[in-house]
Amino acid sequence: MPNVLVIANETVGGSALLEAALSRHKADPSTHFHLVVPQTRPRSGLVIYDDAVRHGAQVRVDLATTVMQGHGIDITGDVGDGDPYNAAMDALRDAKYDEVIVSTLPIGESRWLGRDLIQRFEEEAGVPVTHVVTDLKAEGLPFHITLVVANRTASDDKLIARMKEKAADNEQQLFIVVIPQEGGQGHHAGAARARLGNALDRMRGEGLTVAGMIGDPDPYDATMNALQFFNVNDVLISTLPEERSGWLRQQLLPRVRKASNIDVEHIIAERTASTEAA
């Protein structure tokens, strides 16, 4: 059974990588792929906690493996070291691989290529190394990705219904759910994780393709950090009604619209018993 190691980060959902995996799968359906996403930080922007960096990489792993499994590809995934070379070498020490596929941005945009990583992989891997390139600016991703930002309303009926409408309009619809952690870094993490887990379980139960992460305690920072981590097409922000929403008092929506220059839709949760419980 061929065993292929895949190293990718920003381009993990790119068509070039998917096509490379599909071609090997078609040649031998028993081929197993193992994806490693280094937990690297965005190029610039707001302060990002270490946990958020790891969660962002895990979201990429979750979405990529879900999509490839949907094509019948046998794939597992892990978050790797922040240095892509170390991440690859760690994986090669842990298991035997027949090939390494490295997916990057084009030369001039890729920090990995600027460090001669492909040549270093070829010298050290001991197996064939295939380099695939995805130009995200020219090609985009073969999916529509919606960022969902919510907290107490993450499992609200109106939000779920709107997500289902979007999925019905686009067969390649993926959702990234971000729940800001209340109370500051290191506080109430358990409550945020439980809320995220409950929301993702319900969304998946509704047939939605989702992955999620805990974000910065400030909802604006959480949203902007996520927009740096991921190539997002649009944003759904779910809040309590105006008279009860701290996010609306903070002018969250106009601030995100101004800073992101992409479509931001507002979902106002119903004041129901289920919303209060969530």
Side-chain angles (χ1 to χ4, degrees), residues 141 143-147 173 227 231-235 262-263:
L141 292 173
F143 319 106
H144 188 99
I145 299 179
T146 298
L147 178 67
Q173 174 71 57
L227 290 174
N231 293 283
V232 172
N233 298 101
D234 57 356
V235 181
I262 61 176
D263 183 56

Side-chain angles (χ1 to χ4, degrees), residues 9 14 16 30 43 53 55 60 102 122 167 213 221 229 242-243 258-259:
N9 194 349
S30 71
R43 296 169 187 263
V53 173
H55 292 164
R60 286 196 172 109
V102 184
E122 290 172 340
M213 62 182 286
D221 288 351
F229 274 118
E242 184 172 3
E243 66 274 12
K258 181 178 180 180

Side-chain angles (χ1 to χ4, degrees), residues 12-245:
V12 71
S15 58
L17 179 56
L18 179 59
E19 289 168 5
L22 283 171
S23 69
R24 287 154 180 78
H25 171 72
K26 290 176 181 176
D28 187 340
S30 71
T31 301
H32 173 74
F33 297 84
H34 184 67
L35 169 67
V36 173
V37 175
Q39 50 182 317
T40 51
R41 294 175 177 271
R43 296 169 187 263
S44 62
L46 304 166
V47 173
I48 298 177
Y49 294 120
D50 290 340
D51 283 351
V53 173
R54 182 172 182 83
H55 292 164
Q58 186 63 56
V59 167
R60 286 196 172 109
V61 170
D62 293 344
L63 287 178
T65 53
T66 297
V67 169
M68 290 195 181
Q69 287 166 356
H71 287 274
I73 295 171
D74 176 20
I75 185 168
T76 54
D78 282 320
V79 173
D81 187 271
D83 183 295
Y85 177 81
N86 291 339
M89 293 303 108
D90 288 345
L92 288 167
R93 281 191 290 268
D94 290 341
K96 185 179 184 302
Y97 293 95
D98 302 290
E99 181 187 10
V100 178
I101 298 176
V102 184
S103 176
T104 74
L105 294 167
I107 190 167
E109 296 181 37
S110 170
R111 289 178 287 183
W112 293 9
L113 296 183
R115 297 171 52 191
D116 296 324
L117 281 181
I118 305 302
Q119 180 179 346
R120 293 169 66 191
F121 288 151
E122 290 172 340
E123 292 171 351
E124 299 294 335
V127 297
V129 176
T130 301
H131 178 209
V132 298
V133 177
T134 297
D135 186 345
L136 293 178
K137 291 181 180 178
E139 304 170 23
L141 292 173
F143 319 106
H144 188 99
I145 299 179
T146 298
L147 178 67
V148 178
V149 184
N151 193 353
R152 299 182 187 184
T153 64
S155 297
D156 181 69
D157 292 344
K158 283 186 67 176
L159 174 60
I160 303 294
R162 180 64 184 118
M163 292 170 69
K164 290 176 69 176
E165 288 176 358
K166 292 180 71 65
D169 291 338
N170 193 329
E171 292 183 0
Q172 301 296 322
Q173 174 71 57
L174 308 179
F175 296 95
I176 297 171
V177 180
V178 175
I179 293 185
Q181 179 175 301
E182 294 181 325
Q185 180 70 358
H187 295 81
H188 307 296
R193 280 195 294 269
R195 184 172 288 145
L196 176 62
N198 290 337
L200 294 180
D201 285 346
R202 181 174 179 198
M203 292 168 184
R204 289 171 181 146
E206 297 287 349
L208 301 169
T209 302
V210 296
M213 62 182 286
I214 305 302
D216 188 278
D218 184 292
Y220 175 80
D221 288 351
T223 304
M224 299 312 298
N225 286 343
L227 290 174
Q228 287 190 72
F229 274 118
F230 310 109
N231 293 283
V232 172
N233 298 101
D234 57 356
V235 181
L236 286 179
I237 297 179
S238 175
T239 74
L240 293 167
E242 184 172 3
E243 66 274 12
R244 301 180 53 219
S245 173

